[in-house]
């Protein structure tokens, strides 16, 4: 590594740490890796002592690492305007080629290396250490911990480089997007014809592999990174965008939005980078990960999962992402010049969530039901669970994070509360959906009633948190 690359690498690491520590709870952020290790250890202990195969746990962690990589890549390279809204008028080093005598491609290469080291040490190492209970119980060998660290890091990098290569192609205009669409369609076609992609990922190396298998599994990472750096058009600029007087037209379509705050939120999302498409993209990633995890669970357990219940439970997680999008492009201070209260703004966010978030996750749920097939009663109950859990997640997120859901993910205390509130509801439903299919009528009735109840709890949490945030922002 040359001295310039080394300097960029160190400064980017420092920048990443400052960014996270300022956003996510200040000094409390330093305790986040410890919390991750404890959380993973608790989950591994709980799952293995309740009969879950350790192989399923290992597979799930690798799936999450891939999902985390996909999300990290999209945030780093797509969400520049979102970062600007959160942090103010700042310039990240990776986007500073116009002001520094450094090429954009060099910055991109160092940025990818920085991401690999930063997240491998701060997040993926604690996750690997979290497998200690399985080592103590004899389910895994001690060598499994460094192996899991290596393979989850590789899965994370695979996700980052997939996103990076896709974004690079998208900067090449219509031809790049067409190629991207063709590759995605080809991959989807290959998967539907039975090609086992999972075997050729770094996860396939966890239980040991030959040298050729290692090469096949790891080669896509530098290859995708090289493609991304090569095709990324450094002169690419998004075409200037203009917006007509769409506010009255949108408001006419939403008769329940007399104050116009819901329309404002939706327009903020529509006019940001990626527009409404990024909401669909986020939902699509969760849909793909859900599909892989459920397939994997079926392979390991040998039991056919319930499509309705399983997808209903997992796809509801998109509620958090959607709430993140609808709160990312403004803050409370921006509303203080208007004659509106904090309660008005929170209610507008809730209405925007209903308009944007619920149809998105319901759409992917219906796609899963049609594509995979589902028993009608389980599909109906799964739909009830989906909506109920989405409302529950919305209520929990508003109660814990207010208008800053993107800031509390790495706040140890708040994230612990969020994880506990999520696990209490989601884990029992997933157990039923993954290992107790076909679900009995009694269980379906219980799940349906439970879905309605947790949805009601979510609405109550959201409404009761309004006075709390009014007092908070008034101070």
């Amino acid at each position: 590594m040359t001295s310039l690359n080394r300097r960029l690498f160190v400064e980017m690491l420092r920048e990443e740490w400052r960014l996270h520590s300022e956003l996510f709870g200040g000094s409390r952020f330093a305790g986040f890796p410890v919390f991750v290790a404890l959380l993973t250890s608790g989950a591994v202990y709980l799952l293995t002592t309740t009969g879950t195969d350790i192989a399923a746990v290992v597979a799930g962690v690798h799936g999450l690492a891939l999902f985390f990589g996909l999300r990290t890549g999209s945030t780093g390279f797509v969400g520049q305007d979102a970062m600007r809204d959160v942090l103010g008028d700042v310039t990240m080093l990776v986007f500073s080629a116009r002001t520094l005598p450094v090429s954009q491609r060099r910055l991109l290469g160092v940025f990818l290396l920085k991401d690999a080291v930063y997240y491998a040490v701060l997040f993926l190492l604690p996750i690997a250490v979290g497998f200690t209970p399985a080592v103590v119980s004899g389910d895994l060998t001690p060598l499994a911990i460094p192996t899991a660290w290596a393979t989850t890091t590789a899965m994370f990098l695979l996700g980052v480089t997939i996103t990076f290569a896709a974004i690079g192609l998208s900067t090449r205009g219509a031809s790049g997007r067409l190629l991207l669409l063709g590759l995605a369609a080809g991959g989807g076609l290959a998967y539907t014809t039975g090609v086992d992609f999972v075997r050729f990922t770094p996860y396939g190396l966890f239980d040991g592999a030959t040298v050729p298998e290692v090469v096949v599994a790891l080669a896509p990472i530098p290859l995708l990174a090289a493609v991304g750096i090569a095709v990324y058009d450094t002169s690419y600029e998004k075409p200037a965008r203009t917006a007509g007087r769409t506010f009255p037209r949108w408001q006419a379509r939403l008769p329940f939005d007399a104050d116009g705050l819901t329309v404002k939120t939706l327009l903020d999302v529509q006019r940001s980078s990626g527009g409404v498409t990024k909401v669909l993209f986020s939902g699509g990633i969760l849909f793909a990960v859900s599909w892989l995890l459920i397939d994997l669970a079926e392979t390991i357990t040998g039991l056919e999962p319930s499509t309705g219940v399983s997808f209903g439970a997992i796809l509801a997680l998109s509620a958090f992402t959607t709430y993140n999008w609808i709160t990312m492009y403004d803050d409370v201070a921006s509303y203080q010049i208007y004659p509106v209260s904090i309660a008005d703004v929170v209610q507008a966010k809730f209405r925007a969530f209903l308009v944007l978030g619920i149809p998105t996750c319901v759409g992917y749920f219906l796609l899963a039901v049609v594509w995979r097939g589902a028993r009608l009663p389980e599909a109906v109950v799964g739909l009830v669970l989906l909506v109920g859990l989405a409302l529950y997640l919305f209520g929990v997120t508003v109660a814990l994070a207010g208008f800053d859901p993107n800031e509390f993910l790495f706040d140890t205390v708040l994230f612990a509360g969020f994880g506990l509130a999520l696990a209490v509801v989601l884990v029992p439903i997933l157990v039923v959906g993954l290992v107790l299919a076909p679900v009995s009528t009694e269980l379906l009735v219980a799940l349906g009633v439970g879905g309605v109840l947790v949805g009601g709890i979510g609405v109550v949490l959201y409404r009761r948190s309004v006075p709390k945030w009014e007092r908070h922002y008034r101070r």
Side-chain angles (χ1 to χ4, degrees), residues 323 327 330-334 336 341-343 345-346 398 400-405 407 465-475:
Y323 184 63
T327 54
D330 57 12
D331 56 27
V332 174
S334 65
Q336 290 178 340
S341 65
I342 298 299
V345 179
V346 177
V398 172
L400 288 175
F403 289 86
D404 301 307
E407 296 184 16
S465 65
V466 171
K468 164 189 168 184
W469 293 114
E470 281 190 313
R471 291 192 298 274
H472 173 80
Y473 288 111
R474 191 177 298 125
R475 286 197 300 270

Side-chain angles (χ1 to χ4, degrees), residues 123-172:
F123 298 101
L124 298 167
L125 178 59
I127 288 175
V129 171
F131 279 105
T132 300
V135 174
V136 173
S137 66
D139 290 327
L140 292 175
T141 65
L143 187 61
I145 290 181
T147 304
W149 184 28
T151 50
T152 54
T153 299
M155 287 294 283
F156 167 79
L157 291 176
L158 181 63
V160 171
T161 51
I162 286 174
T163 306
F164 178 47
I167 292 171
L169 285 173
S170 70
T171 64
R172 292 290 175 173

